[in-house]
Amino acid sequence: MLALLLEGGAAWSSGEELSRRMGVSRTAIWKQMEGLRAAGYEIEAVTRLGYRLLARPDAVTALEVLSGLRTRRFAREIAYRESVGSTNEWAKELAREGAAEGLLVIADEQTTGKGRLGRSWATPRGAALAMSLVLRPELPPHEAPRITLASAVAVAEGVRESTGLAAGIKWPNDVLLHGKKFCGILTEMEAEMERTRFVVCGIGINVNLTPSEIPSEVREKATSLQIEAGCRVLRAPLAAAVMSKFESAYDDLVGGRFEEVLARWRALSVTLGRPVRVTSMVGGEVVTGVAEDLDETGALLVRDESGQLHRVVAGEVTLRGEV
Ligand code: BTN
């Protein structure tokens, strides 16, 4: 019903047409309208004209996300809760219980959201997107980080499409606006030696956070879409746009076309061509130089002042000249 009202836009949808398309009685249509109203949708109803949607709530319920979804597999099944500790933790539980690839776990609030390197991640109620996708790729475990690169591409492209803001990616997977981070990605997996059992890709986007909702210790380096755009951004259509971009990048990745993903990543990069300082997660080595390119596996290639090329598989990048 919601999809039909959205499809109608500003035009009226007659009760008769809706009941024909939904295959239910006009009384059932009226009851569904009442249900939507109770859930925060503003619906105008006029005799002989029908119904039209005036406003929708900024909710991230399954109903809202599904109504704008254009994917084939991703997020076709959604597990939603108003409040959870961490969507990654909940998604891992569901994956262990056998959840299928494509299940999207989403919450309006996280009370113990997790960041990379044991840090915490703030997800205040009603302001952020916190979502975790269950994947079951036929990839050896060492190739799983490629999924993180694909997800960063999905967020940057999804934000560009939904808001027009020029989001860029800092290697490997922070998504930035004007040099400040608004999205973090935490990919976790369970695997045996040669077989990946499942991957949970957790995406946190600061959508409508105000400056005071951004934790003070990262306020200098972090931002939100609302702060950058100067207006509120609806979260569910953004989630749907990210899912659609993610699905196409993931299909390339598991279909042996990772080069396509890398090409999309390069086009969105704010790291390549810039002077950087990289702390490698392997051995804690610090490399300073210019970020030259990604190799075919997604590792960052940094050329130091002596002309030597360093290959960084996992690490933290600081763009030089920034905090
Ligand atoms: C980072 O430190 O940059 C990664 C942040 C990842 C946050 C997201 S929010 C959804 C998912 N659930 C979590 O607990 N963490 C990730």
Side-chain angles (χ1 to χ4, degrees):
M1 170 76 84
L2 181 58
L4 290 180
L5 286 175
L6 286 168
E7 184 190 300
W12 294 97
S13 305
S14 74
E16 191 188 334
E17 185 198 338
L18 289 171
S19 87
R20 186 179 45 77
R21 290 185 69 183
M22 300 273 298
V24 296
S25 71
R26 306 239 339 228
T27 318
I29 294 290
W30 181 83
K31 277 201 187 126
Q32 288 209 21
M33 292 298 173
E34 286 309 297
L36 283 172
R37 283 193 179 113
Y41 294 85
E42 217 180 297
I43 296 162
E44 192 177 11
V46 171
T47 325
R48 275 191 288 279
L49 288 175
Y51 302 92
R52 64 180 178 178
L53 188 62
L54 297 181
R56 56 200 283 197
D58 178 27
V60 288
T61 53
L63 184 66
E64 268 296 299
V65 176
L66 286 169
S67 72
L69 202 64
R70 286 166 287 132
T71 58
R72 279 174 295 111
R73 292 171 297 126
F74 280 20
R76 283 285 147 203
E77 204 190 328
I78 293 179
Y80 166 79
R81 276 190 196 155
E82 237 171 70
S83 182
V84 291
S86 152
T87 54
N88 264 32
E89 288 303 318
W90 187 23
K92 284 193 287 182
E93 272 169 41
L94 295 175
R96 282 183 208 118
E97 288 163 14
E101 172 158 281
L103 171 75
L104 182 69
V105 171
I106 190 160
D108 194 39
E109 174 194 53
Q110 293 188 121
T111 51
T112 48
K114 301 190 308 174
R116 285 171 73 215
L117 309 170
R119 296 177 189 138
S120 60
W121 183 264
T123 311
R125 181 178 292 264
L129 261 180
M131 52 187 184
S132 303
L133 189 69
V134 173
L135 297 167
R136 297 190 180 275
E138 302 262 329
L139 289 178
H142 71 271
E143 287 188 9
R146 297 179 182 202
I147 294 173
T148 310
L149 291 180
S151 63
V153 166
V155 171
E157 290 181 349
V159 165
R160 282 170 175 248
E161 187 181 278
S162 308
T163 67
L165 292 167
I169 309 171
K170 187 177 89 165
W171 186 86
N173 56 2
D174 286 345
V175 195
L176 314 183
L177 278 166
H178 305 124
K180 292 184 167 192
K181 173 167 165 174
F182 69 89
C183 166
I185 296 167
L186 178 66
T187 305
E188 299 184 271
M189 72 169 161
E190 282 193 12
E192 287 141 23
M193 286 298 277
E194 287 305 318
R195 197 180 71 93
T196 306
R197 219 174 285 141
F198 64 79
V199 170
V200 162
C201 181
I203 301 176
I205 305 182
N206 294 345
V207 183
N208 293 316
L209 278 77
T210 57
S212 65
E213 283 174 312
I214 295 178
S216 51
E217 62 278 14
V218 292
R219 212 166 281 161
E220 288 224 320
K221 297 192 236 174
T223 191
S224 74
L225 298 180
Q226 174 174 288
I227 294 171
E228 300 303 319
C231 59
R232 288 184 68 83
V233 173
L234 278 179
R235 292 174 296 161
L238 174 63
V242 170
M243 284 299 120
S244 156
K245 301 290 183 188
F246 198 177
E247 187 175 85
S248 78
Y250 183 77
D251 283 348
D252 278 344
L253 166 54
V254 294
R257 300 179 300 278
F258 187 51
E259 262 307 320
E260 306 276 327
V261 181
L262 290 176
R264 282 161 71 178
W265 192 98
R266 287 188 185 98
L268 294 158
S269 162
V270 296
T271 311
L272 299 182
R274 299 270 302 270
V276 292
R277 183 170 178 277
V278 190
T279 312
S280 169
M281 232 91 101
V282 191
E285 184 201 7
V286 178
V287 183
T288 358
V290 173
E292 204 164 275
D293 199 5
L294 297 186
D295 73 5
E296 70 289 350
T297 69
L300 185 67
L301 302 174
V302 181
R303 193 169 300 274
D304 70 17
E305 275 173 5
S306 70
Q308 198 191 334
L309 203 57
H310 300 256
R311 178 172 180 271
V312 189
V313 181
E316 281 265 287
V317 169
T318 313
L319 300 171
R320 279 184 9 238
E322 285 179 5
V323 275

